[in-house]
Amino acid sequence: MQINTWQQAFEQFMNLPSSIGNGYELVDDEVKIKWKSKSSSASLDNGLQTCGRCSTGCKRCKCAKNGYICTIYCECSDNCSNRPVTSFISSSV
């Protein structure tokens, strides 16, 4: 859920999933954190994974297939088409 929020940080209107079932649970009509034990398996959240060093423009990479945008941790090439378009204003000195 947190990764989804970060990925939409530059969007004007964010489409966030429900908390219930995404790390939280409803207990006695209260939303509470769903804790995991050390013995539980690793997270299966695809948002925590990266597609690696994709060189095909990221149209069929692991991130795109799972509906996620590529991040700087994916180490994609400069022609990645699965990154958000953001513009940075640089100040001239």
Side-chain angles (χ1 to χ4, degrees), residues 20 24-33:
I20 308 302
Y24 296 87
E25 59 187 346
L26 194 60
V27 178
D28 298 326
D29 293 328
E30 291 185 35
V31 177
K32 297 191 175 187
I33 295 174

PDB file of all heavy atoms in Angstrom, residues 20 24-33:
ATOM      1  N   ILE A  20      -7.859  -2.372   4.183  1.00  0.00           N
ATOM      2  CA  ILE A  20      -8.198  -3.739   4.567  1.00  0.00           C
ATOM      3  C   ILE A  20      -7.678  -4.701   3.506  1.00  0.00           C
ATOM      4  O   ILE A  20      -7.992  -4.585   2.328  1.00  0.00           O
ATOM      5  CB  ILE A  20      -9.723  -3.917   4.741  1.00  0.00           C
ATOM      6  CG1 ILE A  20     -10.312  -2.863   5.674  1.00  0.00           C
ATOM      7  CG2 ILE A  20     -10.054  -5.332   5.214  1.00  0.00           C
ATOM      8  CD1 ILE A  20      -9.710  -2.831   7.057  1.00  0.00           C
ATOM      9  N   TYR A  24      -3.454  -4.201   6.621  1.00  0.00           N
ATOM     10  CA  TYR A  24      -4.338  -3.870   7.740  1.00  0.00           C
ATOM     11  C   TYR A  24      -5.500  -4.844   7.746  1.00  0.00           C
ATOM     12  O   TYR A  24      -5.840  -5.438   6.727  1.00  0.00           O
ATOM     13  CB  TYR A  24      -4.863  -2.436   7.615  1.00  0.00           C
ATOM     14  CG  TYR A  24      -3.771  -1.392   7.691  1.00  0.00           C
ATOM     15  CD1 TYR A  24      -3.091  -0.997   6.545  1.00  0.00           C
ATOM     16  CD2 TYR A  24      -3.419  -0.828   8.896  1.00  0.00           C
ATOM     17  CE1 TYR A  24      -2.081  -0.052   6.609  1.00  0.00           C
ATOM     18  CE2 TYR A  24      -2.405   0.124   8.971  1.00  0.00           C
ATOM     19  CZ  TYR A  24      -1.742   0.506   7.823  1.00  0.00           C
ATOM     20  OH  TYR A  24      -0.749   1.437   7.891  1.00  0.00           O
ATOM     21  N   GLU A  25      -6.121  -5.010   8.917  1.00  0.00           N
ATOM     22  CA  GLU A  25      -7.292  -5.867   9.026  1.00  0.00           C
ATOM     23  C   GLU A  25      -8.321  -5.209   9.924  1.00  0.00           C
ATOM     24  O   GLU A  25      -7.991  -4.325  10.721  1.00  0.00           O
ATOM     25  CB  GLU A  25      -6.906  -7.238   9.564  1.00  0.00           C
ATOM     26  CG  GLU A  25      -6.247  -7.213  10.936  1.00  0.00           C
ATOM     27  CD  GLU A  25      -5.723  -8.572  11.374  1.00  0.00           C
ATOM     28  OE1 GLU A  25      -6.079  -9.586  10.758  1.00  0.00           O
ATOM     29  OE2 GLU A  25      -4.953  -8.604  12.344  1.00  0.00           O
ATOM     30  N   LEU A  26      -9.548  -5.629   9.802  1.00  0.00           N
ATOM     31  CA  LEU A  26     -10.643  -5.100  10.594  1.00  0.00           C
ATOM     32  C   LEU A  26     -10.867  -6.021  11.791  1.00  0.00           C
ATOM     33  O   LEU A  26     -11.219  -7.182  11.627  1.00  0.00           O
ATOM     34  CB  LEU A  26     -11.910  -4.999   9.746  1.00  0.00           C
ATOM     35  CG  LEU A  26     -13.054  -4.175  10.295  1.00  0.00           C
ATOM     36  CD1 LEU A  26     -12.627  -2.731  10.524  1.00  0.00           C
ATOM     37  CD2 LEU A  26     -14.250  -4.215   9.360  1.00  0.00           C
ATOM     38  N   VAL A  27     -10.626  -5.502  13.011  1.00  0.00           N
ATOM     39  CA  VAL A  27     -10.788  -6.271  14.240  1.00  0.00           C
ATOM     40  C   VAL A  27     -11.705  -5.490  15.172  1.00  0.00           C
ATOM     41  O   VAL A  27     -11.369  -4.364  15.561  1.00  0.00           O
ATOM     42  CB  VAL A  27      -9.425  -6.528  14.926  1.00  0.00           C
ATOM     43  CG1 VAL A  27      -9.608  -7.279  16.232  1.00  0.00           C
ATOM     44  CG2 VAL A  27      -8.481  -7.258  13.999  1.00  0.00           C
ATOM     45  N   ASP A  28     -12.837  -6.083  15.517  1.00  0.00           N
ATOM     46  CA  ASP A  28     -13.820  -5.427  16.390  1.00  0.00           C
ATOM     47  C   ASP A  28     -14.176  -4.035  15.882  1.00  0.00           C
ATOM     48  O   ASP A  28     -14.174  -3.065  16.628  1.00  0.00           O
ATOM     49  CB  ASP A  28     -13.296  -5.350  17.829  1.00  0.00           C
ATOM     50  CG  ASP A  28     -13.068  -6.723  18.441  1.00  0.00           C
ATOM     51  OD1 ASP A  28     -13.839  -7.645  18.111  1.00  0.00           O
ATOM     52  OD2 ASP A  28     -12.117  -6.875  19.236  1.00  0.00           O
ATOM     53  N   ASP A  29     -14.460  -3.933  14.591  1.00  0.00           N
ATOM     54  CA  ASP A  29     -14.838  -2.673  13.934  1.00  0.00           C
ATOM     55  C   ASP A  29     -13.755  -1.598  13.993  1.00  0.00           C
ATOM     56  O   ASP A  29     -14.041  -0.412  13.907  1.00  0.00           O
ATOM     57  CB  ASP A  29     -16.144  -2.119  14.521  1.00  0.00           C
ATOM     58  CG  ASP A  29     -17.326  -3.012  14.182  1.00  0.00           C
ATOM     59  OD1 ASP A  29     -17.299  -3.622  13.092  1.00  0.00           O
ATOM     60  OD2 ASP A  29     -18.264  -3.084  14.991  1.00  0.00           O
ATOM     61  N   GLU A  30     -12.493  -2.003  14.150  1.00  0.00           N
ATOM     62  CA  GLU A  30     -11.359  -1.074  14.141  1.00  0.00           C
ATOM     63  C   GLU A  30     -10.334  -1.560  13.130  1.00  0.00           C
ATOM     64  O   GLU A  30     -10.080  -2.753  13.008  1.00  0.00           O
ATOM     65  CB  GLU A  30     -10.704  -0.990  15.519  1.00  0.00           C
ATOM     66  CG  GLU A  30     -11.544  -0.322  16.578  1.00  0.00           C
ATOM     67  CD  GLU A  30     -10.790  -0.176  17.890  1.00  0.00           C
ATOM     68  OE1 GLU A  30      -9.560   0.057  17.847  1.00  0.00           O
ATOM     69  OE2 GLU A  30     -11.426  -0.311  18.942  1.00  0.00           O
ATOM     70  N   VAL A  31      -9.736  -0.620  12.404  1.00  0.00           N
ATOM     71  CA  VAL A  31      -8.680  -0.957  11.461  1.00  0.00           C
ATOM     72  C   VAL A  31      -7.366  -1.043  12.232  1.00  0.00           C
ATOM     73  O   VAL A  31      -6.965  -0.095  12.896  1.00  0.00           O
ATOM     74  CB  VAL A  31      -8.572   0.110  10.343  1.00  0.00           C
ATOM     75  CG1 VAL A  31      -7.429  -0.221   9.405  1.00  0.00           C
ATOM     76  CG2 VAL A  31      -9.884   0.198   9.577  1.00  0.00           C
ATOM     77  N   LYS A  32      -6.736  -2.214  12.158  1.00  0.00           N
ATOM     78  CA  LYS A  32      -5.481  -2.440  12.881  1.00  0.00           C
ATOM     79  C   LYS A  32      -4.439  -3.014  11.941  1.00  0.00           C
ATOM     80  O   LYS A  32      -4.760  -3.669  10.943  1.00  0.00           O
ATOM     81  CB  LYS A  32      -5.708  -3.393  14.048  1.00  0.00           C
ATOM     82  CG  LYS A  32      -6.661  -2.837  15.093  1.00  0.00           C
ATOM     83  CD  LYS A  32      -6.652  -3.657  16.328  1.00  0.00           C
ATOM     84  CE  LYS A  32      -7.549  -2.956  17.365  1.00  0.00           C
ATOM     85  NZ  LYS A  32      -7.459  -3.609  18.639  1.00  0.00           N
ATOM     86  N   ILE A  33      -3.162  -2.804  12.279  1.00  0.00           N
ATOM     87  CA  ILE A  33      -2.052  -3.346  11.486  1.00  0.00           C
ATOM     88  C   ILE A  33      -2.086  -4.862  11.564  1.00  0.00           C
ATOM     89  O   ILE A  33      -2.302  -5.432  12.627  1.00  0.00           O
ATOM     90  CB  ILE A  33      -0.698  -2.828  12.020  1.00  0.00           C
ATOM     91  CG1 ILE A  33      -0.602  -1.318  11.838  1.00  0.00           C
ATOM     92  CG2 ILE A  33       0.460  -3.533  11.323  1.00  0.00           C
ATOM     93  CD1 ILE A  33       0.629  -0.710  12.478  1.00  0.00           C
TER      94      ILE A  33
END
